[in-house]
Amino acid sequence: MDPAEDWLVESLRLYQDFHAFDLSGATRVLEWIGDKGVFVAGYESLKKNEILHLILPLRLSVKENQGLCPERDFKVCHGGFSDTSVFDLKHVPDTRLLVTTGLPGSYLHVWQVTEDSDVIQAVSTIAVQEKEGSRWPRVAIFSSMAPGVLHGVRLSSLKVMDLESQKTTYTSGVSDSEELSSLQVLDADTFAFCCSSGRLGLVDIRQKWAPSENVSPSPGAAGGRWCAEVGGRGPGPSIASLGSDGQLCLLDPRNLCHPVSSVQCSVSAPSPDPELLRVTWAPGLDSCLAISGFDGTVQVYDATSWDGVGNQVEPVFTHRGHIFLEGSQIDTAPLVTTHTWHPHKPRTLLSAASDASLHVWDWVGLRAAC
Amino acid sequence: MPEIRVTPLGAGQDVGRSCILVSIAGKNVMLDCGMHMGFNDDRRFPDFSYITRNGRLTDFLDCVIISHFHLDHCGALPYFSEMVGYDGPIYMTHPTQAICPILLEDYRKIAVDKKGEANFFTSQMIKDCMKKVVAVHLHQTVQVDDELEIKAYYAGHVLGAAMFQIKVGSESVVYTGDYNMTPDRHLGAAWIDKCRPNLLITESTYATTIRDSKRCRERDFLKKVHEAVEHGGKVLIPVFALGRAQELCILLETFWERMNLKAPIYFSTGLTEKANHYYKLFITWTNQKIRKTFVQRNMFEFKHIKAFDRAFADNPGPMVVFATPGMLHAGQSLQIFRKWAGNEKNMVIMPGYCVQGTVGHKILSGQRKLEMEGRQVLEVKMQVEYMSFSAHADAKGIMQLVGQAEPESVLLVHGEAKKMEFLKQKIEQEFRVNCYMPANGLLPDAKKPRLLHGTLIMKDSNFRLVSSEQALKELGLAEHQLRFTCRVHLHDPRKEQETAMRVYSHLKSVLKDHCVQHLPDGSVTVESILIQAAAHSEDPGTKVLLVSWTYQDEELGSYLTSLLKKGLPQAPS
C-alpha cells in the first residue's frame, strides 16, 4: 500500500482536522493578520515572487454547525508581486501596511493592502545599509501612534525607523558586529534580540544601550546557529533558544545568565539550513513549544517538567505530513521552512515546507496540559 | 486581425449558470445552456433576448455546444430548444448525451411535482431536445459546416466533461467548461495540446482559491464515517447514480479492507446496474486505474459492499448505505432518511449541491424540523454533514492550462471581477498575454453606437433633451414626415408578386444585420424602409420597384437603392 495512504489512515487518529495545500511557490513566511488571515511570500532569487494574503478555510473559522460548511479551501484575498526574495514579512498592526525583508539585504520594502482591489501595492523601498553578501536585516514592528520598524543585520546596525517620516528614532550605538538571527518586540519600549552565536538580550529603547544579556552558550555550540522566541504561557520560563545542533535552552527573563534548563531535542542534527530554525511557544497551552528546521517535521514539546542540562527529551507530537504527502517536487526530501500556532485554537498549527506545501493541522493531545 | 466577440448571456460574472455566445469570423456558437439554481423565476434562465432580436435562433446560431451534464451547464437546454425555439445541431460528448436527459428529467420532476411550477419544460420536450444532439468523440475534428469545425478535449471534472476548441479558418477559441488539473480516483486530469487559440475562455469560479488536497477531503469523509460507525450509528450517503458514488465506494472499500472493519456497506441495486452500464459504455473516459480494475474484474464486485434491500434499513447496528436519488427528494434515499433521521447517532453525508425545494437543500440550510406529506413533521436529530467533492481548477490549475494551450488571450468567466485583478496580472506577466474579465452582458469590445433623435428645448435658463414627439406636443406643433421615394427599374417578365419575392430573398441573404420582412400584401420592408413591386405601365418585361424611406433612414435608403439598381441574382427555376 502506498505510504501516503498509510499515513493518511494513521492521521485519522492523530489529528482532529488536517488540510494540505500546494502553493505556487514555497514560503518562509507565515504571518497572521487577525485570526482569520495569514500572509505567505516566495523566496526565490531568480524570478518574481508572490506575496499572498490568504483567508483560512471557512470550515476552520466557523464556530457552530461546522458540519454544514463544506468549504475547506484557502481564499486568496490579496496578492502582490515582489522582484526580490522575501525571507520575512511583518504586518504593521492597525494599518494596512506590510514590511518585507530578504535579499538583497540592503533594502526593506513597504507594501499596502487595499480595500477596493485585490492587488497588494508596493509603497516604498527603504535603503537601510550597505549590501553584505547573503546577510539580510531582521525586522520587528513597534506598533504605536507612530509605528516604527526595528531592523538590523548586526548589533551595531540596529535601528528603529519611523515608518511615516522614515527618520531614525533609535540606534543601538554600539560597535559590536555580532550577527543577528532574530528580533522580537515585546512591548512599547522593549525588544529582544538573539544573535547567531546564541547571545540573547532584552533592550529598553528609552535608555542608552544596556541590555540584560546571557552568556553565549558553551563552546560545544561553536559554529552552530541559534534563534530564540519570547512567549510562553504558564508559570515557567518564557524564553526559548534553539541551536542548530538540537539544543534547546529555556531562560527566565529576570536571570538570563542562568538558563532554567537545557535539553537535547530528538532531531537529526545539525540542521541542513540553520537559517530556517524556528522555535515557537503555544499561545493557548501551558509550557508548550514547537520546533522546526531540521527536516520535514514539526515537533511539539511539553516543557513543564524540564530541568537540568543535557537531558534528551521526546516530543509529545511530531507532524510528518510534509514527508508523506508529495508536494510539487518529489526528488528532494522537503524541509519545513516555517511554522506558526493559531492565535486561539490551542492545538492548531500551520506549517510550510520547501516543496511549496502548506498544512493546517489540529493534533490530538494525549495529556491534559499539552 | 481576428474578429472574435464573446457575450456571456448568463453567469459572465454571475456564478450560477453558464451560457456564452461566441462570434468568430461571422459564425455564432452558443457555449453551454445552463440554469441558475438559486432562482425560481425567469432569472434562472439565460437572457436569450440578446440573440432573438436578431431573428430566429436557428438562423442566427451555427451550433450549440454543451460541455458536461451538470445542470448549471445544460439545465436550460430544453427550455431553449423547445420553448424559445432552436432546431440546429447541439454538440456534446457521448457520456453527456447519455446522462443529460436523466438529470433534466430529475430536475423537471422536482420543479413540477415538488414545487408545482407551471410553464416548465415537459418530458417530451427533453426527448425532442435530445433528438437534436450530435455526439462527438475526444480529439475528433467535427465539421459543423464548410468553415466551422469543433474538437473536444478531456476535461476531468465529471464523466464526459469536455473542453471545446472552435475553429474557423485560422481563428480559434477554446472554451473550458468546468475542468480540473488534478486526477482523482475515477477520472483523469484535463489535458489540451499546444493548440495556441486566439482566445482561451476559462472557467474561473475557484480562481481565487487554493484547493485543499483531495486526500484531505477523503480523509475527512473517512473520519466522519468511521466515527459514526464506531459509535453504532448508521450512515446514509445520497448519491446520483454516477461519478461521486463510485469514487466514494472505492475509497470505503480500500479503507474497510485496511482497517479490517466489519460494519456492512450497501448500495442500492439501481445504482449498480446504471453505473455498470455507463462505465462499460464509457470506460475510455475514466482514468487508468479504473480501467485496469475493470478489466480484471467487474468494478462493482466489491468485497465489502453489497446490494441493498429496503428491509436492511431496519437492521440493528451500524451500517453505511449509498442510495439514490442524490438530493433526498424522493425514492429510496428519502425513505431511509425518514427512518434514520430521529437518532442522533446516525449521520447523513451530502456529497454535493442540492436544488431548492428538496429535503437535501433544507437540511443543508440548517433546518431541523421538516414538514413531510400529510403535514407530518419530521425532527432531524441525525448529524448532517455537507462535503464537497467536486473538482474544479484553482489558481494553480488555471495557470497550468494556460501554459498547456498557449493562447494569445485569456478570458476569465464565472469569477468575481473585483477579486481577480491579481490573477489577471499573474497570467499577463507569466504568459505575456492579454487577460479579460467580462460581466454579464458586457463585451470586451464596445457595443455598436446607436443614433439618438431628440430635441433640445431651451426655456429661460433651462435645458431639456426630450423626444421629438414630446417636443411637438409641448410646442403645439404638428409633425411633418419627410419621405423619399425612388424608382428602380428591373428587367423581370414575371408577376409583381414573384419579383417582390426575389427582392425579399436577395435582401435577406445580403443584409444579415437588418430586419428584412415580407409582408402579406406583397411588399418588402427593410427596417422601416418599404419596397413595393409594380408593373411598368408600358413595358410588361420591366418591373418598377418603389423604394420609400423616411428622412431618418436616408443612409440605409440610399444604400438599398444602389444595391437594387445592381439587379437581382438569377432566380432558380
Side-chain angles (χ1 to χ4, degrees), chain B residues 244-264:
Chain B
R244 235 28 87 189
Q246 282 64 46
E247 180 129 349
L248 299 177
C249 281
I250 295 169
L251 187 56
L252 277 188
E253 163 94 347
T254 318
F255 183 60
W256 247 242
E257 177 74 21
R258 191 172 186 302
M259 303 290 282
N260 202 18
L261 297 175
K262 301 292 174 214

Side-chain angles (χ1 to χ4, degrees), chain A residues 6-26:
Chain A
D6 271 349
W7 185 82
L8 265 167
V9 171
E10 269 293 293
S11 81
L12 290 177
R13 74 175 170 83
L14 294 174
Y15 302 87
Q16 243 330 95
D17 266 321
F18 177 59
H19 297 241
F21 303 91
D22 268 325
L23 297 173
S24 52

Side-chain angles (χ1 to χ4, degrees), chain B residues 260-304:
Chain B
N260 202 18
L261 297 175
K262 301 292 174 214
I265 310 175
Y266 300 111
F267 53 45
S268 28
T269 35
L271 234 134
T272 340
E273 283 157 16
K274 274 207 194 97
N276 249 327
H277 168 71
Y278 288 115
Y279 271 86
K280 277 205 188 104
L281 274 182
F282 306 122
I283 197 66
T284 48
W285 282 85
T286 60
N287 71 18
Q288 200 58 25
K289 277 194 211 149
I290 297 280
R291 239 171 290 164
K292 274 203 209 138
T293 37
F294 208 85
V295 164
Q296 288 163 14
R297 62 172 171 101
N298 180 326
M299 196 171 81
F300 292 98
E301 273 165 22
F302 286 115
K303 212 168 126 185
H304 302 275

Side-chain angles (χ1 to χ4, degrees), chain B residues 442-560:
Chain B
L442 290 178
L443 311 167
D445 59 342
K447 279 203 175 113
K448 278 203 187 107
R450 287 189 65 183
L451 200 57
L452 172 79
H453 286 280
T455 311
L456 185 67
I457 302 181
M458 297 185 283
K459 196 174 173 187
D460 304 320
S461 49
N462 206 291
F463 281 83
R464 274 186 306 138
L465 183 67
V466 300
S467 69
S468 314
E469 290 82 21
Q470 191 177 341
L472 288 168
K473 222 162 92 179
E474 282 189 28
L475 300 168
L477 296 169
E479 188 182 336
H480 288 81
Q481 282 238 351
L482 279 176
R483 266 198 105 79
F484 297 100
T485 307
C486 190
R487 284 179 159 72
V488 177
H489 289 92
L490 275 184
H491 178 74
D492 191 345
R494 282 168 289 195
K495 297 208 202 103
E496 295 100 271
Q497 296 94 304
E498 285 169 38
T499 311
M501 193 63 220
R502 277 180 73 199
V503 169
Y504 168 67
S505 314
H506 176 55
L507 293 179
K508 184 117 184 112
S509 68
V510 172
L511 303 171
K512 286 227 157 90
D513 281 343
H514 300 281
C515 185
V516 183
Q517 290 184 304
H518 191 193
L519 302 181
D521 69 354
S523 50
V524 177
T525 61
V526 177
E527 308 277 327
S528 64
I529 298 171
L530 185 66
I531 305 166
Q532 284 172 319
H536 193 278
S537 46
E538 282 133 43
D539 177 11
T542 304
K543 292 292 168 299
V544 180
L545 294 179
L546 289 158
V547 187
S548 149
W549 62 91
T550 59
Y551 166 73
Q552 283 88 338
D553 293 321
E554 163 62 34
E555 211 186 285
L556 184 56
S558 307
Y559 170 70
L560 261 182

Side-chain angles (χ1 to χ4, degrees), chain A residues 155-176:
Chain A
L155 286 176
S156 50
S157 54
L158 261 180
K159 292 185 177 69
V160 176
M161 178 194 74
D162 177 86
L163 200 53
E164 208 183 296
S165 64
Q166 294 197 12
K167 288 199 163 66
T168 304
T169 55
Y170 169 87
T171 43
S172 64
V174 292
S175 53
D176 196 329

Side-chain angles (χ1 to χ4, degrees), chain A residues 1-2 4-6 8-9 11-24 48 50-52 54 59 66-70 72-81 115-119 325-326 328, chain B residues 185 205-213 215-220 222-224 226-227 254-255 258-259 363-368 384-388 394-396 416-423 425-426 429:
Chain A
M1 233 204 153
D2 118 55
E5 299 242 320
D6 271 349
L8 265 167
V9 171
S11 81
L12 290 177
R13 74 175 170 83
L14 294 174
Y15 302 87
Q16 243 330 95
D17 266 321
F18 177 59
H19 297 241
F21 303 91
D22 268 325
L23 297 173
S24 52
K48 258 201 171 136
E50 288 177 6
I51 300 174
L52 301 176
L54 305 175
R59 204 178 175 109
Q66 206 197 37
L68 296 181
C69 183
R72 303 177 58 88
D73 308 325
F74 266 112
K75 259 211 117 40
V76 179
C77 193
H78 295 93
F81 300 98
E115 267 285 323
D116 45 340
S117 161
D118 71 330
V119 180
L325 298 182
E326 302 158 4
S328 329
Chain B
R185 280 176 202 267
T205 315
Y206 290 88
T208 52
T209 64
I210 300 180
R211 300 278 280 172
D212 184 17
S213 75
R215 284 208 147 113
C216 290
R217 286 173 206 275
E218 292 181 342
R219 178 198 173 269
D220 204 32
L222 287 175
K223 190 165 203 299
K224 292 277 175 321
H226 190 218
E227 275 168 8
T254 318
F255 183 60
R258 191 172 186 302
M259 303 290 282
I363 58 172
L364 288 182
S365 315
Q367 247 183 283
R368 303 302 273 177
V384 179
E385 290 283 334
Y386 187 2
M387 299 204 171
S388 166
D394 60 3
K396 196 165 182 213
E416 296 169 71
K418 245 174 58 173
K419 303 185 180 175
M420 296 204 306
E421 183 63 35
F422 172 65
L423 177 66
Q425 283 189 20
K426 192 169 153 157
Q429 282 175 26

Side-chain angles (χ1 to χ4, degrees), chain A residues 305-343:
Chain A
S305 39
W306 289 357
D307 60 15
V309 176
N311 290 327
Q312 179 91 16
V313 288
E314 291 298 318
V316 290
F317 189 82
T318 305
H319 174 62
R320 295 190 168 87
H322 294 284
I323 304 177
F324 285 102
L325 298 182
E326 302 158 4
S328 329
Q329 300 117 316
I330 41 176
D331 359 344
T332 46
L335 185 55
V336 172
T337 52
T338 185
H339 71 266
T340 185
W341 291 83
H342 190 285

Side-chain angles (χ1 to χ4, degrees), chain A residues 225-227 242-244 271 273-279 292-294:
Chain A
R225 273 188 74 106
W226 289 79
C227 70
L242 177 67
S244 52
S271 156
D273 189 350
E275 277 227 341
L276 296 180
L277 283 182
R278 199 139 156 75
V279 58
S292 68
F294 290 93

